Amino acid sequence: AGWVVWMGAHPEPGLFEGTTELPGDAAARPKPADRGPIPAAAAPIGWRQGSVASFYAENHYEKVDGRADFYLSFGFQRLWVLTLTDTLDEARTADLELYDLGTAANALGAYQGERTPELRPVESAGGMYHVDRNALFLARGRYYLRAIGSSEDARVRVLLDAVRTRFEAALP
């Protein structure tokens, strides 16, 4: 008790240096997660967005589980992950993985590496894409997007088309 009283009267000299905000002030509040190039309105009507997670070269293996070297070979720089949930059926979801691969050539390389030969890509402004059952694969500029739905129903296909449209408009 004596030590606490003495320390209270003699605080560390630099303890409060550089702090101008009180703990309740805006600077002390948690900052929102970096969305990167993910559009603010990635979820169409009827779907809810979760929070964005991001991964770097040092930890992206936690998300891609066994595919880390594949993405590193294509210049991996960063990964943003967002889950969309259907407001009509909470079990229906889609995971969006947006990879920054540094160059358009790297993004196209990763896209081609995951595309099965029988699926023909569709050219779009600044890139290409295809939809396979419950998944959208899109390469645009330096970015590669994988959107994987939890089911193969029509509602997920409509979602994938809306996601493609939004990301084509948002990605440089």
Side-chain angles (χ1 to χ4, degrees), residues 37-48:
I38 293 178
I45 294 172
W47 292 81
R48 183 180 64 251

Side-chain angles (χ1 to χ4, degrees), residues 2-157:
W3 178 82
V4 171
V5 171
W6 187 86
M7 286 301 289
H10 305 90
E12 217 176 287
L15 186 62
F16 298 107
E17 271 183 27
T19 55
T20 57
E21 304 281 345
L22 296 174
D25 290 340
R29 291 187 204 121
K31 308 248 183 306
D34 173 20
R35 295 183 66 83
I38 293 178
I45 294 172
W47 292 81
R48 183 180 64 251
Q49 299 183 117
S51 58
V52 175
S54 63
F55 300 86
Y56 295 89
E58 300 79 30
N59 70 343
H60 79 289
Y61 65 87
E62 296 170 8
K63 176 63 181 160
V64 297
D65 193 26
R67 305 272 301 163
D69 289 337
F70 174 78
Y71 293 110
L72 285 172
S73 72
F74 286 103
F76 176 88
Q77 297 190 10
R78 190 138 177 217
L79 165 63
W80 293 272
V81 178
L82 173 65
T83 298
L84 305 180
T85 304
D86 189 346
T87 57
L88 298 177
D89 179 1
E90 299 272 322
R92 187 181 292 124
T93 62
D95 289 328
L96 281 55
E97 300 173 356
L98 182 63
Y99 296 84
D100 179 350
L101 299 177
T103 68
N106 286 342
L108 285 172
Y111 169 82
Q112 293 292 11
E114 292 195 317
R115 183 179 64 83
T116 56
E118 61 273 1
L119 288 170
R120 293 191 52 111
V122 177
E123 287 186 53
S124 66
M128 57 180 44
Y129 73 93
H130 73 273
V131 176
D132 184 15
R133 298 172 34 192
N134 65 329
L136 163 70
F137 302 89
L138 167 75
R140 182 171 171 86
R142 63 189 289 161
Y143 299 103
Y144 172 54
L145 172 68
R146 292 170 26 112
I148 313 294
S150 61
S151 65
E152 296 181 23
D153 60 25
R155 191 150 167 88
V156 168
R157 284 197 171 268

